[in-house]
Amino acid sequence: MTRTKPRGLFIVFEGIDGSGKTTQARRLLRRLRRRGRRAVFFREPTRGRWGREIRRLARRADSLTPKEELELFVKDRRENVARNLEPALAAGRDVVLDRYYFSTIAYQGAKGLDPGRIRRLNESFAIPPDLVIVLDVEAAAGLARIAGRGSRDELFEREDYLVRVARLFRAFAGPAVVHVDGRGEPRAIARAIWAEVEPLI
Ligand code: TYD
Protein backbone atom coordinates (compact mmCIF):
# COMPACT_ATOMS: atom_id res chain seq x y z
CA MET A 1 0.00 0.00 0.00
CA THR A 2 1.35 3.40 -0.85
CA ARG A 3 0.95 6.12 1.70
CA THR A 4 0.88 9.67 0.54
CA LYS A 5 2.84 12.01 2.71
CA PRO A 6 0.63 14.50 4.54
CA ARG A 7 0.96 17.98 3.16
CA GLY A 8 2.16 20.77 5.39
CA LEU A 9 0.01 23.60 6.67
CA PHE A 10 -0.12 26.69 4.49
CA ILE A 11 -0.51 29.93 6.46
CA VAL A 12 -0.56 33.38 4.88
CA PHE A 13 -0.09 36.77 6.55
CA GLU A 14 -1.68 39.84 5.04
CA GLY A 15 -2.04 43.50 5.97
CA ILE A 16 -1.00 46.99 4.97
CA ASP A 17 2.57 48.26 5.25
CA GLY A 18 3.32 48.78 8.93
CA SER A 19 0.64 46.32 10.11
CA GLY A 20 3.30 44.21 11.82
CA LYS A 21 2.66 41.13 9.68
CA THR A 22 6.32 40.32 9.04
CA THR A 23 7.09 40.34 12.77
CA GLN A 24 4.11 38.11 13.45
CA ALA A 25 4.90 35.77 10.55
CA ARG A 26 8.42 35.23 11.89
CA ARG A 27 7.12 34.69 15.43
CA LEU A 28 4.71 32.05 14.20
CA LEU A 29 7.49 30.37 12.23
CA ARG A 30 9.61 30.09 15.41
CA ARG A 31 6.69 28.77 17.39
CA LEU A 32 5.88 26.08 14.83
CA ARG A 33 9.53 25.00 14.86
CA ARG A 34 9.58 24.87 18.65
CA ARG A 35 6.64 22.53 18.39
CA GLY A 36 8.83 20.27 16.30
CA ARG A 37 7.24 21.10 12.97
CA ARG A 38 9.30 21.53 9.85
CA ALA A 39 8.31 25.02 8.81
CA VAL A 40 9.67 27.34 6.13
CA PHE A 41 9.20 31.03 5.47
CA PHE A 42 8.64 32.74 2.13
CA ARG A 43 7.60 36.21 1.12
CA GLU A 44 6.10 38.03 -1.83
CA PRO A 45 7.42 39.86 -3.70
CA THR A 46 9.97 37.02 -3.74
CA ARG A 47 13.72 37.15 -4.00
CA GLY A 48 13.48 35.59 -7.46
CA ARG A 49 13.96 37.40 -10.75
CA TRP A 50 10.43 38.87 -10.90
CA GLY A 51 10.47 39.91 -7.25
CA ARG A 52 13.78 41.68 -7.77
CA GLU A 53 12.38 43.39 -10.85
CA ILE A 54 9.34 44.57 -8.85
CA ARG A 55 11.56 46.06 -6.12
CA ARG A 56 13.81 47.73 -8.69
CA LEU A 57 10.86 49.33 -10.48
CA ALA A 58 9.15 50.32 -7.22
CA ARG A 59 12.02 52.66 -6.44
CA ARG A 60 11.10 54.70 -9.53
CA ALA A 61 7.77 56.49 -8.96
CA ASP A 62 4.99 55.78 -11.48
CA SER A 63 7.16 53.67 -13.70
CA LEU A 64 4.41 51.08 -14.22
CA THR A 65 0.70 51.12 -14.97
CA PRO A 66 -1.54 49.18 -12.52
CA LYS A 67 -2.01 46.52 -15.17
CA GLU A 68 1.73 46.11 -15.67
CA GLU A 69 2.15 45.88 -11.90
CA LEU A 70 -0.52 43.20 -11.73
CA GLU A 71 1.23 41.21 -14.43
CA LEU A 72 4.56 41.33 -12.62
CA PHE A 73 3.11 40.29 -9.27
CA VAL A 74 1.31 37.40 -10.96
CA LYS A 75 4.49 36.25 -12.74
CA ASP A 76 6.36 36.39 -9.45
CA ARG A 77 3.59 34.42 -7.74
CA ARG A 78 3.42 31.73 -10.42
CA GLU A 79 7.11 31.17 -9.94
CA ASN A 80 6.77 31.16 -6.13
CA VAL A 81 3.96 28.59 -6.28
CA ALA A 82 5.86 26.26 -8.60
CA ARG A 83 9.36 26.60 -7.15
CA ASN A 84 8.80 27.18 -3.45
CA LEU A 85 5.28 26.62 -2.14
CA GLU A 86 4.24 23.43 -3.90
CA PRO A 87 7.51 21.53 -3.27
CA ALA A 88 7.62 22.53 0.42
CA LEU A 89 3.98 21.60 1.09
CA ALA A 90 4.32 18.34 -0.82
CA ALA A 91 7.38 17.46 1.29
CA GLY A 92 5.22 17.88 4.41
CA ARG A 93 6.66 21.23 5.44
CA ASP A 94 4.51 23.98 6.89
CA VAL A 95 4.72 27.17 4.87
CA VAL A 96 4.43 30.62 6.43
CA LEU A 97 4.03 33.17 3.66
CA ASP A 98 4.34 36.94 4.09
CA ARG A 99 1.84 38.33 1.51
CA TYR A 100 0.00 36.41 -1.21
CA TYR A 101 -2.67 37.21 -3.75
CA PHE A 102 -4.85 39.00 -1.20
CA SER A 103 -2.21 41.74 -1.37
CA THR A 104 -2.73 41.98 -5.12
CA ILE A 105 -6.49 42.24 -4.68
CA ALA A 106 -6.03 45.02 -2.11
CA TYR A 107 -3.09 46.98 -3.54
CA GLN A 108 -3.81 46.71 -7.27
CA GLY A 109 -7.55 46.83 -6.54
CA ALA A 110 -6.95 50.15 -4.74
CA LYS A 111 -5.39 51.42 -7.98
CA GLY A 112 -8.64 50.86 -9.84
CA LEU A 113 -8.38 47.29 -11.14
CA ASP A 114 -11.40 45.09 -10.54
CA PRO A 115 -10.84 43.11 -7.29
CA GLY A 116 -13.08 40.25 -8.46
CA ARG A 117 -11.09 39.84 -11.64
CA ILE A 118 -7.78 39.89 -9.76
CA ARG A 119 -9.09 37.20 -7.41
CA ARG A 120 -10.26 34.93 -10.24
CA LEU A 121 -7.00 35.32 -12.13
CA ASN A 122 -4.99 34.33 -9.06
CA GLU A 123 -7.26 31.51 -7.97
CA SER A 124 -6.79 29.91 -11.38
CA PHE A 125 -3.26 28.85 -10.31
CA ALA A 126 -2.61 29.74 -6.66
CA ILE A 127 -2.62 27.00 -4.00
CA PRO A 128 -5.43 27.76 -1.55
CA PRO A 129 -4.09 28.54 1.95
CA ASP A 130 -5.32 26.71 5.06
CA LEU A 131 -5.38 29.99 6.94
CA VAL A 132 -5.14 33.64 5.93
CA ILE A 133 -4.39 35.96 8.84
CA VAL A 134 -5.28 39.55 8.03
CA LEU A 135 -3.78 42.03 10.48
CA ASP A 136 -6.17 44.93 10.58
CA VAL A 137 -4.76 48.36 11.38
CA GLU A 138 -5.80 51.86 10.32
CA ALA A 139 -3.80 53.31 7.44
CA ALA A 140 -2.60 56.16 9.68
CA ALA A 141 -1.25 53.69 12.25
CA GLY A 142 0.55 51.72 9.56
CA LEU A 143 2.04 54.89 8.13
CA ALA A 144 3.20 56.05 11.54
CA ARG A 145 5.14 52.80 11.93
CA ILE A 146 6.91 53.22 8.62
CA ALA A 147 7.30 57.01 8.89
CA GLY A 148 10.46 58.65 7.77
CA ARG A 149 10.22 57.65 4.13
CA GLY A 150 9.32 60.29 1.59
CA SER A 151 8.18 63.92 1.62
CA ARG A 152 5.00 65.29 3.23
CA ASP A 153 3.16 65.36 -0.11
CA GLU A 154 4.17 61.81 -0.82
CA LEU A 155 2.93 60.80 2.62
CA PHE A 156 -0.50 62.39 2.06
CA GLU A 157 -0.82 60.67 -1.28
CA ARG A 158 0.29 57.45 0.29
CA GLU A 159 -2.17 57.73 3.13
CA ASP A 160 -5.04 58.19 0.70
CA TYR A 161 -3.96 55.08 -1.17
CA LEU A 162 -3.36 53.04 1.98
CA VAL A 163 -6.81 53.95 3.30
CA ARG A 164 -8.28 52.28 0.20
CA VAL A 165 -5.94 49.30 0.54
CA ALA A 166 -6.86 48.90 4.23
CA ARG A 167 -10.55 49.01 3.34
CA LEU A 168 -10.13 46.19 0.82
CA PHE A 169 -8.18 44.10 3.34
CA ARG A 170 -10.86 44.64 5.97
CA ALA A 171 -13.54 43.42 3.56
CA PHE A 172 -11.91 40.02 2.96
CA ALA A 173 -14.05 37.11 4.00
CA GLY A 174 -14.01 33.38 3.42
CA PRO A 175 -13.72 30.10 5.28
CA ALA A 176 -9.92 30.34 5.68
CA VAL A 177 -9.76 34.08 6.42
CA VAL A 178 -9.43 35.39 9.97
CA HIS A 179 -9.09 39.02 10.95
CA VAL A 180 -6.84 39.86 13.87
CA ASP A 181 -6.70 43.29 15.46
CA GLY A 182 -3.20 44.54 14.66
CA ARG A 183 -3.23 47.27 17.32
CA GLY A 184 -1.68 46.66 20.66
CA GLU A 185 1.08 44.56 22.04
CA PRO A 186 2.93 42.14 19.71
CA ARG A 187 2.75 39.34 22.30
CA ALA A 188 -1.01 39.65 22.67
CA ILE A 189 -1.38 39.64 18.88
CA ALA A 190 0.83 36.56 18.67
CA ARG A 191 -1.42 34.81 21.21
CA ALA A 192 -4.53 35.63 19.17
CA ILE A 193 -2.81 34.23 16.07
CA TRP A 194 -1.70 31.06 17.84
CA ALA A 195 -5.28 30.46 18.97
CA GLU A 196 -6.20 30.28 15.28
CA VAL A 197 -3.28 28.08 14.24
CA GLU A 198 -3.12 25.54 17.07
CA PRO A 199 -6.42 23.78 16.24
CA LEU A 200 -5.09 23.11 12.73
CA ILE A 201 -1.97 21.21 13.80
P1 TYD B 1 6.49 44.31 1.43
O1 TYD B 1 5.77 43.19 2.11
O2 TYD B 1 6.50 45.63 2.12
O3 TYD B 1 7.94 43.80 1.08
P2 TYD B 1 9.37 44.39 1.52
O4 TYD B 1 9.24 44.81 2.94
O5 TYD B 1 10.27 43.21 1.35
O6 TYD B 1 9.64 45.49 0.56
O7 TYD B 1 5.88 44.49 -0.03
C1 TYD B 1 6.35 45.47 -0.88
C2 TYD B 1 5.22 46.27 -1.46
O8 TYD B 1 4.58 45.53 -2.52
C3 TYD B 1 4.11 46.60 -0.46
O9 TYD B 1 3.91 48.01 -0.44
C4 TYD B 1 2.90 45.92 -1.01
C5 TYD B 1 3.19 45.73 -2.46
N1 TYD B 1 2.49 44.58 -3.09
C6 TYD B 1 1.54 44.82 -4.07
O10 TYD B 1 1.26 45.99 -4.40
N2 TYD B 1 0.93 43.76 -4.69
C7 TYD B 1 1.22 42.47 -4.37
O11 TYD B 1 0.65 41.53 -4.96
C8 TYD B 1 2.21 42.22 -3.35
C9 TYD B 1 2.58 40.81 -2.98
C10 TYD B 1 2.83 43.31 -2.74
Side-chain angles (χ1 to χ4, degrees):
M1 201 179 89
T2 49
R3 275 184 56 209
T4 45
K5 209 171 190 167
R7 288 173 74 84
L9 257 189
F10 181 17
I11 301 169
V12 170
F13 279 82
E14 293 282 5
I16 58 168
D17 308 72
S19 61
K21 69 182 167 41
T22 305
T23 307
Q24 291 297 336
R26 292 201 172 275
R27 268 184 114 116
L28 177 65
L29 180 78
R30 288 197 299 271
R31 192 151 189 177
L32 288 166
R33 286 179 176 163
R34 279 203 306 273
R35 287 283 292 253
R37 300 192 56 103
R38 294 182 312 145
V40 286
F41 176 85
F42 296 107
R43 70 197 309 168
E44 292 187 8
T46 68
R47 299 206 162 120
R49 63 187 157 147
W50 299 114
R52 288 200 305 273
E53 178 77 355
I54 289 166
R55 289 208 171 80
R56 189 179 67 78
L57 291 167
R59 284 194 289 272
R60 310 192 338 222
D62 292 328
S63 53
L64 292 175
T65 66
K67 201 153 167 279
E68 287 166 338
E69 269 183 26
L70 170 68
E71 279 162 15
L72 274 179
F73 282 113
V74 167
K75 273 188 185 153
D76 187 40
R77 183 160 306 123
R78 282 184 191 279
E79 195 171 271
N80 194 29
V81 168
R83 285 221 181 138
N84 302 325
L85 309 183
E86 174 58 31
L89 292 167
R93 293 199 166 81
D94 294 336
V95 168
V96 176
L97 179 61
D98 186 349
R99 293 197 188 281
Y100 200 31
Y101 65 85
F102 308 88
S103 280
T104 321
I105 297 172
Y107 282 86
Q108 279 61 54
K111 288 191 175 172
L113 301 184
D114 174 20
R117 229 199 112 244
I118 300 173
R119 181 186 276 268
R120 285 191 296 279
L121 168 66
N122 279 276
E123 289 182 347
S124 71
F125 71 90
I127 301 169
D130 298 299
L131 186 64
V132 181
I133 296 159
V134 183
L135 283 176
D136 287 322
V137 299
E138 296 289 327
L143 272 172
R145 287 197 194 156
I146 57 165
R149 304 180 198 167
S151 68
R152 265 178 72 115
D153 275 0
E154 271 167 10
L155 276 181
F156 281 132
E157 211 175 285
R158 234 186 123 124
E159 171 154 13
D160 200 49
Y161 175 51
L162 272 197
V163 166
R164 295 199 301 277
V165 175
R167 224 176 264 149
L168 283 160
F169 271 132
R170 215 174 269 275
F172 281 130
V177 176
V178 296
H179 288 265
V180 172
D181 188 342
R183 295 168 302 181
E185 228 255 305
R187 281 180 64 179
I189 298 168
R191 270 199 299 278
I193 291 169
W194 186 247
E196 301 290 342
V197 174
E198 199 171 23
L200 303 180
I201 65 180

